[in-house]
Amino acid sequence: DGGITQSPKYLFRKEGQNVTLSCEQNLNHDAMYWYRQDPGQGLRLIYYSQIVNDFQKGDIAEGYSVSREKKESFPLTVTSAQKNPTAFYLCATQNRGTYYGYTFGSGTRLTVV
Amino acid sequence: AQSVTQLGSHVSVSEGALVLLRCNYSSSVPPYLFWYVQYPNQGLQLLLKYTSAATLVKGINGFEAEFKKSETSFHLTKPSAHMSDAAEYFCAVTPSGNTPLVFGKGTRLSVIA
């Protein structure tokens, strides 16, 4: 079945650590996105990539980094510079040839301990 | 810049009653509009979309929404609420397929037996 796999589902980070969240897709979609979700804040865009080897900052990119070396993969690194990383992180893909809607992964919940 | 306002962070209805979730948008060009649903600790699932065809859009699970340009609104309705409709609902807008979706802050729907 085609879909998006986010791993791990739960992740714990110590202060000062970098952690990487995985997002893999087999939908053959060109565009991929990372959103952060906090209670009452909706979804806020961190980074997005519309083609391989290219990505753009979203509204809250500070303290995060990404890479897009393969069409199928768009990992997100939460660096120690991100002061408040505890949140639910969602990866999404977009098939830009159709109706421009997104397909979402099931999310990763990151907690700082 | 595009923006979305969802009126009411929490809506509570009785089982069998009408569901009305409000969404107003701002966009400099005719937009693409979406409603998504999210169950706890899961990703978002597309309910329905407006892409400049019919102004009344029918989606999954008995939901529908009407695009009203004069009111810049895209309210979500369902004639009769079920317990299984309890979830968080997000409205989203984009002016084109090249621009990331902008999400509202969400409305949590509770259904009372």
Side-chain angles (χ1 to χ4, degrees), chain A residues 9 35 37 40 42 45 48 50 88 90 94 96 99-102 104-105 109, chain B residues 32 34 36 38 41-44 46 49 51 90 97-98 100-101 103-105:
Chain A
K9 189 169 180 64
Y35 284 88
Q37 185 177 17
L45 182 64
Y48 66 103
Q50 295 183 324
F88 191 52
L90 287 161
Q94 182 186 42
R96 297 173 65 218
Y99 55 78
Y100 307 123
Y102 289 2
F104 281 86
R109 185 165 298 280
Chain B
Y32 297 96
F34 304 83
Y36 286 86
Q38 184 184 35
N41 293 312
Q42 295 186 22
L44 277 67
L46 181 67
K49 61 186 183 292
T51 56
F90 292 93
N98 296 323
L101 285 180
F103 287 84
K105 293 189 175 183

Side-chain angles (χ1 to χ4, degrees), chain B residues 3 12-13 16 18 38 40 42 45 60-62 66 69-70 72 74 76 87 90 94 101 104-105 112:
Chain B
S3 67
S12 186
V13 301
L18 172 71
Q38 184 184 35
Q42 295 186 22
Q45 178 184 3
I60 62 172
N61 301 337
E66 186 172 9
K69 184 178 179 180
S70 61
T72 61
F74 191 57
L76 181 70
F90 292 93
T94 182
L101 285 180
K105 293 189 175 183
I112 302 169

Side-chain angles (χ1 to χ4, degrees), chain A residues 57-99:
Chain A
K57 291 183 178 180
D59 300 318
I60 57 166
E62 185 175 351
Y64 299 97
S65 66
V66 294
S67 62
R68 186 85 186 276
E69 298 176 0
K70 300 185 300 181
K71 188 175 185 179
E72 299 79 17
S73 179
F74 191 42
L76 174 73
T77 297
V78 184
T79 75
S80 57
Q82 171 49 241
K83 297 307 179 187
N84 185 22
T86 295
F88 191 52
Y89 291 86
L90 287 161
C91 177
T93 67
Q94 182 186 42
N95 183 355
R96 297 173 65 218
T98 60
Y99 55 78

